[in-house]
Amino acid sequence: MKSRKMIDKKVALVTGASRGIGKSICRTLAQDGNLVVVNYVANASEAEHTKEIIESEGGEVLIKQADVTDIVAVKDMFKDIKKRFGRLDFLINNAGVTDDGYFIMSTQKQWDRVIGVNLNAVFLCSKEAAMIMASQREGVIVNIGSGSAIVAQPGQVNYSAAKAGLFGFTRSLARELAPRGINVVHIAPGFIETDMTDILSKNFIEETFRLTPLNRWGKPQEIASLVKYLVNGGARCFNGQHFVVDGGRGSMETETGWQHKM
Ligand code: NAP
C-alpha cells in the first residue's frame, strides 16, 4: 500500500464489499483506476478473496473491517482512510441485510438490526464522508436501496421501511451538499443474484421471473456499471435522483406473495 503522499488515484470506500453487489462494485471501480477500500463486518475470508481478485487484475485495495452500525468503528474507519490517503472521493453505502417475517410475529431486535444496517449506518458513514468531501469541495455518495421500497413486499416491512427511508435521505442530503461540490444519488436494485437472494425457493424465483418483463434477475455487474457511470461525473446532473435497476419489475402492478419465498 502506497503512503499518503504517493496517492494519485481517486479513493472509493464500498461498505459491505466482501460479497455480492459490493464486491462487484469494488472490482469495477478498481478496474477503472480507483483505489478501493473493501469494508466488511464478519466474513474476513471473502473480503480477502475480493482483495486477491482486485490485485490479480492490477488494482489497488485496502480491506477495512468495521460494523457500519457501530459509531466508534465507523469513525475509526474514516479516520484511518483520511490518515492513509488524505482524501475520500466516493462512498458507496452498500452494506445491507434482510430479516423477513410476518409483521405481527416480528421482533424489535429484527427491526433494529434491519433499520440499523440499511439506514442508520448510511447516516453514520455519510456524515463522516461528507466532512472529508466538503473539505475537498468534491465527492460522490451512492446509496444502494432496494426495489422493495417501491414494490410492496409482504414479510419485508422492516426492510421496505429502511430502504424507503433512503429515498428521502438521498434527496434532502443531495440538496444540502450540492453547494459543497458533493453529489448524492440512490440506486434501487430489483432481485440480484447474490447470497442475499440465494435462500429463496425455486417457486418464488420463477414467480419473480414471470413478473419481470426482462424475465430474469439482475447481475451484480449491472449495478456496478451504473455506479461507475455515476462516480465518473454522472451523479452531477442526476444529483438527488434515484435509479431503479429491476428489469421493469417495478412497472408491474401484481406482486408475488412472500409466503412462497421459502
Ligand atoms: P450480500 O451478498 O448478502 O452481502 C452483504 C454485504 O454486507 C456483505 O459484504 C456483508 O459483510 C455486509 N454487511 C452486512 N452487515 C454489515 C455491517 N453491519 N457492517 C458492514 N458490512 C456489513 O448482499 P447483496 O445482495 O450484495 O446486497 C448489497 C446491497 O444491495 C444491500 O444494501 C441490499 O439491501 C441491496 N439489494 C440487494 C438486492 C438483491 O437482490 N441481492 C436487491 C435489492 C437491494 P460480511 O460478508 O462480512 O457479512
Side-chain angles (χ1 to χ4, degrees):
M1 184 60 49
K2 290 177 181 174
S3 74
R4 175 178 167 169
K5 283 196 194 95
M6 292 168 69
I7 292 301
D8 47 7
K9 297 181 171 186
K10 298 229 168 179
V11 179
L13 166 62
V14 184
T15 67
S18 45
R19 297 181 275 128
I21 295 170
K23 183 178 198 161
S24 188
I25 293 171
C26 279
R27 205 172 153 186
T28 299
L29 294 185
Q31 286 165 354
D32 202 34
N34 302 288
L35 187 154
V36 292
V37 182
V38 171
N39 161 256
Y40 74 101
V41 64
N43 218 322
S45 58
E46 287 288 344
E48 196 55 47
H49 185 235
T50 304
K51 182 173 185 268
E52 280 167 15
I53 292 175
I54 292 170
E55 286 180 341
S56 73
E57 293 171 343
E60 227 176 326
V61 55
L62 172 74
I63 296 179
K64 283 303 296 177
Q65 189 282 335
D67 179 344
V68 287
T69 65
D70 177 344
I71 187 166
V72 176
V74 167
K75 279 183 179 291
D76 282 352
M77 175 166 66
F78 281 87
K79 206 170 147 192
D80 189 41
I81 290 170
K82 182 88 198 294
K83 195 171 150 208
R84 281 174 190 264
F85 311 126
R87 60 183 300 110
L88 178 67
D89 298 281
F90 314 130
L91 166 66
I92 317 302
N93 282 310
N94 168 77
V97 292
T98 52
D99 198 342
D100 299 353
Y102 288 112
F103 178 67
I104 287 174
M105 314 280 277
S106 66
T107 64
Q108 169 102 40
K109 198 173 164 198
Q110 281 175 295
W111 174 266
D112 288 345
R113 176 168 173 256
V114 172
I115 299 290
V117 180
N118 294 290
L119 187 57
N120 293 347
V122 176
F123 159 74
L124 293 178
C125 291
S126 301
K127 200 171 162 202
E128 296 301 316
M131 286 190 281
I132 299 174
M133 292 172 180
S135 66
Q136 299 164 181
R137 311 283 310 166
E138 66 173 348
V140 179
I141 298 174
V142 181
N143 296 323
I144 306 295
S146 170
S148 292
I150 303 160
V151 178
Q153 280 283 7
Q156 280 203 323
V157 169
N158 50 16
Y159 186 71
S160 301
K163 294 300 195 184
L166 281 183
F167 274 90
F169 180 95
T170 302
R171 288 165 63 79
S172 189
L173 191 64
R175 280 197 82 164
E176 194 172 316
L177 295 183
R180 293 167 191 271
I182 304 166
N183 297 124
V184 191
V185 285
H186 175 256
I187 298 175
F191 287 101
I192 307 291
E193 295 167 10
T194 70
D195 290 352
M196 186 178 271
T197 46
D198 205 32
I199 54 166
L200 302 175
S201 74
K202 196 167 171 279
N203 282 351
F204 182 84
I205 293 170
E206 280 170 5
E207 183 69 354
T208 59
F209 282 9
R210 193 181 66 75
L211 292 167
T212 304
L214 198 61
N215 199 34
R216 69 164 173 84
W217 283 1
K219 297 183 190 309
Q221 179 57 50
E222 290 171 308
I223 306 298
S225 300
L226 177 56
V227 171
K228 176 181 157 183
Y229 164 74
L230 291 169
V231 301
N232 279 325
R236 229 168 276 137
C237 57
F238 288 113
N239 189 40
Q241 299 302 310
H242 71 264
F243 298 82
V244 181
V245 186
D246 71 348
R249 176 174 152 256
S251 62
M252 310 282 281
E253 282 182 7
T254 327
E255 186 45 74
T256 185
W258 167 78
Q259 59 273 26
H260 303 303
K261 259 185 177 178
M262 306 302 172

